[in-house]
Amino acid sequence: MSRSGIPGNDSRPSVSDVEGEHEWTQLARNHWNKPVKSRKIKNEVVKDEIWDVLENEGFPYRSLLLLENLQLLEKFAPSTMTIAFQSLDNGLIRRECAPLVSISIWQNLASEASRELKFEQHPPLKKAWRAVARKFDSADETAQTKLRFDRAWLYSLLLDFIGRLQESATEFLTDLESQLPTRRYVNMLLKDLNLLALIRLSPLFNQTGNGLFRDLFVLLRHFVHFPIDDNTGRQHTQLQSYEEHCARLARLQRVSLKNFKDRLTLLALSNYAAIDKREDLEAHLESLSDAELVGLSGSLGIRTKYPAASKVDVGRALLLETLLSAHERRRTFREVMRDLSVVPTEAALYEPTLLRNEHYDGSRSLAIPKLNLQYLSVGDFLWRSFVLYRCESFFEIRKDMEETVKRLQPKTGQLPDKVHFDGFSRMAIPISKPAIIEAAPPMVGHDKPAFVRAEIGLDVSRLAESVRREWDSLRQDDVVYLLAVDPAEDRRELTNGHATHATSRDFGIRFLRAAEVEQVLDDNGRVIRDALDDSTNGYVQRPRMRRLLVKLDAAAYKSDNARKSEGQPDVYESINLIVRRKGRENNFKKILETIRSLALSDVPVPDWLQEVFLGFGDPTGASYTKLPNSIDRLDFRDTFLDWKHVVASLPDKVVASSSGEDRNIEPPYILQGIISAGSEPPRPSKKRRRDHDETPQPAPKLIKVSTYEPPNNGPYPTDAPKINQIRFTPVQVEAIISGTQPGLTVIVGPPGTGKTDVATQIINNIYHDFPSQRTLLIAHSNQALNQLFQKITNLDIDERHLLRLGHGEEDLETEVSYSKHGRVESFLDNRGYYLAEVDRLATNFQAPGAHGNSCETAGYFNSVYVVPAWSKFWDYSNAEDASSSDIVASFPFHQYFSNAPQPLFPPEASRARILDIARGCQRHIERIFTELEDIRPFEILRTSRDKANYLLVKEARIIAMTSTHAAIRRQEIADLGFHYDNVIMEEAAQITEIENFIPLALQNPQSGKIPLQRVVLCGDHLQNSPVVQNLAFRQFANLEQSLFLRFVRLGVPTINLDHQGRARPSIAELYKWRYPKLENLPNVLTEPEYLRANAGFRYEYQFVDVPDYKGSGESQPTPHYFQNLGEAEYAVAIYQYMRLLGYPAGKISILTTYVGQKALIRDVLGHRCCKGNRLFGLPRLVTTVDKYQGEQNDCKSSLYSVTLWELLMGVYADIILSLVRTTRVGYLRDIRRLTVALSRARLGLYILGRRSVFETCYELREAFAKLFERPDRLLLTTGEMFPASRLLGDDLEATEMTGLEHLGQYVYEMTNAKIESLKVQGGRLPMVEQTPEMMKVDVEDAGAGSLEKRMEEEEQPEEDIDGVL
């Protein structure tokens, strides 16, 4: 007997099986067959009790029938199949699911005529249909049974769904329709069954409380009618969609005139606009009898009969609804997007659909689109992204508004219409009603005002200076929120969630309107940024008022006036509060407008990338080996350090010199044969099976290497090019070769593997090999972008071709400014230098006149004096009888080059050497006039804006910006005519998919195409993903999916960097289980800093079990704001201990997993280490794990190179990590975050947490198992100071810290000893060293206010030793 307990699996289950004590019957009774509204799927039960049993028995037919009778399939199948069809990247799942939605399901269509019509429109379908028929006819009985099941499965499921409508089944059908491979044949079957009409007429749809089901229907209808050719995948244009609609109406008119002339003559003779509205068409069809409706439907190919088991009543209502829904004019998704507001109102924030998403727990479907592996078209992707980004933005805005109102504590005053606020929030100011200044008439074709201006008075007299400055820093186009707050008497308690029927009134928000800032004016009406200094004798009068000029939402203003005319309250009369949000969280409006404009303008994806981007076709189709424009011969300049490096970097290739001399070839190197070497070997034929030994092995590919003499750029040391010193690994070289070639390159870089160095070398190669091309650099954060940009500035790239856009440029640790205005100033500064050089050249020729007066006069001087002089010189030098001394004597620029290193021409130099030096001198002079020619437009252009725009559009060749800046400024940049050829993205796995896409479309098409040649994505999908606040959008809609991750899932070829050079090998072992092929570079195995132990610590890494402190573990002052005082005190105590041993503060970072804990640690630091105590200072950084990805504590992100700060300070990186939680794992259950947390440290990692919580977590067992091999109490060593002389493996007796109190006492005694020692040395404390990072102020944390306030109060003078304790 089988495990399922059903004897004779070929027979049907008996009544006793269904109604008796069978284990599956009991399972159904216990878990699914209960009358509950929301049923949570128990995955482990389904896996262990159903799936594993079926899999072991080979899925017997009898068992499947039993599951059907028990309704287990109905309860669970939709959710299971939804997951399966979302996982088509899995080969096994794809093979099982594909037959269920193949062309064979068209066997269930109502008529052959409709199928034949489809075959006429698309002849290849006919061939596929015949192939399916032949396969069925040639199959044996068992195979035919399987084929019958495949073609009937979906049809049977749909009939069952019609009889028992379900939300999960609707979600499943929506997923089938939203992916082209599953939609191709399913869509016609759904339309044939008139499914949408049946749902719309169902009782479930029309019941009042089923809003979710109605929303799911709307989403399904959107995809069923999406304007796309199901067979070719081409999206229809607006015109094509309208022509199809007209064709349907024309057919209806022809059939009506032919068969129902007496009754439908008026319909047949009407124009299309008169009959394409539902109510107009219904009026025409009402005259037909039931039988005539059946006849009309049949003539139009509409199904009028259903199997009896479906219990479908084909009555008048169904036929009428089917005809109307098939022929009415539907709004396109573009029209829907155009009408959706991108700024919120209270109605939009508290829309039931949005609130419903907040309670997502995985048990029910949601009516929101998903970001899948595949999209129907670029327009479909943009529509989904727009809807989800808008929902996520509105969710965050609502949370901020509720939190601000809660902090303000609004109360009703003595007068009923007056509200006063007992609390305070730095993000809000109570105001009087805004004054409407101007409402401009509507523009042509619009019905809303062109703009509405208002003025708002802000009383800033009581605000702290720091808060007032924040309000003064509001920029043009920033969005502020105008609220009418009216506290209700019976107001519910504010919580992080909402009840099912929550409204804005429940939170005291009566109205909410958004406005865009135009100007901030002071008391005297002057713009704040241009305001004069009002100080008198050094005293600055405290400002009292600010006037804010804003633009109101014109659409909301129009509707508000309409409501007012109907007797409703005036919204703007009741406004009493203005709220702002943090700048980087408040960019939603510009980004939504960018997404919408892209969807409305049909900006294409490059042809070579489109299929891969949409998820269709060959995943390798965008790789350089598959593209026709790939380059077989490339100059790799300084990528390779020497010949041995070339050979070692191409291990599977035969490397040979083009000249036949392999020993003495020096760089730079040119490689030929790259394409043939990179192409995949042909797959063996499926028709002949051969043993492994008989399969011919492909011969190693031949790479021919040649070299050349680098050009002499001039005699000055500054003329020498900067040369790469990094010895790239073979995998890194593979990534550089792929990135330099046209096409798509995906580089997966585990922690410390040098993906930033790979990206910079790719940029360097492209810059020199393709001088006419321009490259766009994108990163998620300013920090990562600046890190990449600083490395670029160290390459042999002319700084005049570099440009950094956005507000993070000021954080660049470079001597020159790379912003637009900084670059313009640099050009003008260079102008003076080069014109002075022209004057020196004029002196060389003793040429009278003001030749260095301008770029124009310099150009004339060049053509009249310099060019002829060089021509004369080369004519003489090229003569065969010219000797070396004669060439030197005839050189016309001896006086000009008199300040170069002498002798300019060495006496022993050969003739060839002398000519090479002369060519270098010529290049130096030519560069002067080339630079002046580039600077000349800046002389002509008058305004700073014009100069900056010219720089962006014409001069810059490497342009860097964050993904957010690209999304905000996309339209502005594209309208300038900006074009680029290459995109390189750092942190690509941390950027949402829409933010990945926008930089690819940052330019307008040229001749209908985007001239993009390369896309390089660098990232690590096993580390942090994009941050999405709402659980429903993150998990159900998959909004946290990045383009990088989707490409990896689709099977796009990736290059996985496999050698790390950041951390000690022992620390790297903590996360190596995530990267099985990760190895160590020689530097971490041989350099002294990695071999020495950490002074004062027994181990270089350790997990410290922190028990409850003062009877308390984790706490939650406000929802999702977790803190742990014990761990905060422990972290600070370890930091103090390290500082007492001499560890530099700039080498220590404290990380935590929650914002609340970060604020608490900063408070403890402020109390124990900052105020009144200069002995310890502050650590380099206190932040969360999410914000620390891509950074190390003063670490080497390159393999052998170091930054300027590292050279000055050395490199000793230690991390103290607080895990916070003591009741459940929480945040760290996402393995990606744990990977980031463990991989930040280089030399020391000390983790504070609750062992009993983390050692029982299945997902994290691999990492914590290694940590728990060591004692969970901190072990300290005595008698050591930083840096330690002890080696890492040396055994040394250690002192065990039994708890926080023990460590605190230990640190206290060490502090006393340190103070006594300092007293002997003079009684004054030394200055605490400050790193640039320590000087930055992070004001984003609401909970860090107390520390910030203490730091802002005053600067403490140098204190006495006696005051330290």
Side-chain angles (χ1 to χ4, degrees), residues 397-544:
I397 291 170
R398 177 163 55 84
K399 287 298 182 185
D400 288 346
M401 296 303 107
E402 291 171 2
E403 179 65 23
T404 300
V405 172
K406 178 183 177 181
R407 287 177 177 273
L408 287 171
Q409 303 175 22
K411 305 291 183 183
T412 304
Q414 296 180 349
L415 298 177
D417 58 342
K418 295 295 183 181
V419 176
H420 66 271
F421 299 93
D422 293 344
F424 171 77
S425 171
R426 67 190 305 150
M427 310 304 290
I429 297 178
I431 59 172
S432 301
K433 65 178 183 180
I436 307 299
I437 299 175
E438 180 183 9
M443 300 177 68
V444 176
H446 294 265
D447 59 354
K448 64 181 181 182
F451 59 85
V452 181
R453 286 197 177 94
E455 181 179 308
I456 303 169
L458 306 180
D459 183 0
V460 297
S461 59
R462 298 184 180 182
L463 297 181
E465 181 69 14
S466 60
V467 178
R468 182 185 61 76
R469 287 177 181 172
E470 292 175 7
W471 283 95
D472 288 348
S473 65
L474 285 173
R475 299 190 299 268
Q476 187 177 5
D477 297 331
D478 280 354
V479 178
V480 294
Y481 306 88
L482 309 178
L483 276 66
V485 178
D486 183 13
E489 293 182 2
D490 188 19
R491 182 179 171 188
R492 69 180 64 184
E493 182 182 355
L494 285 180
T495 62
N496 189 60
H498 298 278
T500 304
H501 302 291
T503 66
S504 60
R505 294 296 184 91
D506 296 323
F507 302 94
I509 302 174
R510 186 180 179 191
F511 300 114
L512 182 146
R513 296 293 179 266
E516 288 185 90
V517 175
E518 285 195 326
Q519 286 182 328
V520 183
L521 308 178
D522 64 5
D523 295 352
N524 300 316
R526 297 174 300 191
V527 178
I528 289 295
R529 295 179 183 272
D530 303 328
L532 302 176
D533 186 7
D534 291 332
S535 60
T536 303
N537 296 327
Y539 172 76
V540 180
Q541 184 178 3
R542 188 178 184 87
R544 299 185 58 83

Side-chain angles (χ1 to χ4, degrees), residues 635 637 664-670 706-713 721 912-913 915-917 919 923:
D635 183 359
R637 297 180 57 80
N664 300 319
I665 295 182
E666 297 294 332
Y669 298 110
I670 299 174
S706 59
T707 188
Y708 60 93
E709 184 68 27
N712 188 330
N713 292 323
R913 174 61 178 156
L915 293 178
D916 182 63
I917 294 173
R919 291 189 189 96
R923 290 189 185 97

Side-chain angles (χ1 to χ4, degrees), residues 349-412:
L349 293 184
Y350 289 90
E351 185 181 355
T353 302
L354 190 61
L355 294 179
R356 193 186 298 122
N357 298 332
E358 192 170 338
H359 298 283
Y360 176 71
D361 60 1
S363 64
R364 298 189 69 180
S365 302
L366 294 177
I368 51 178
K370 301 175 184 177
L371 300 184
N372 294 332
L373 281 174
Q374 299 170 330
Y375 301 108
L376 300 179
S377 67
V378 175
D380 172 44
F381 163 71
L382 292 170
W383 175 82
R384 299 190 207 193
S385 300
F386 179 84
V387 172
L388 292 174
Y389 195 93
R390 180 176 180 269
C391 290
E392 170 73 3
S393 300
F394 283 12
F395 167 80
E396 294 176 357
I397 291 170
R398 177 163 55 84
K399 287 298 182 185
D400 288 346
M401 296 303 107
E402 291 171 2
E403 179 65 23
T404 300
V405 172
K406 178 183 177 181
R407 287 177 177 273
L408 287 171
Q409 303 175 22
K411 305 291 183 183
T412 304

Side-chain angles (χ1 to χ4, degrees), residues 795-814:
L795 299 176
D796 186 30
I797 294 177
D798 195 331
E799 68 176 32
R800 65 196 173 101
H801 292 143
L802 297 174
L803 179 61
R804 169 71 164 89
L805 300 181
H807 294 288
E809 188 273 336
E810 59 271 13
D811 296 329
L812 273 172
E813 297 177 13
T814 54

Side-chain angles (χ1 to χ4, degrees), residues 1 201 206 275 498 610 786 1077 1141 1330:
M1 182 175 291
L201 295 175
N206 292 285
I275 58 173
H498 298 278
Q610 178 152 346
N786 288 342
K1077 296 183 179 180
L1141 292 182
Q1330 295 285 323

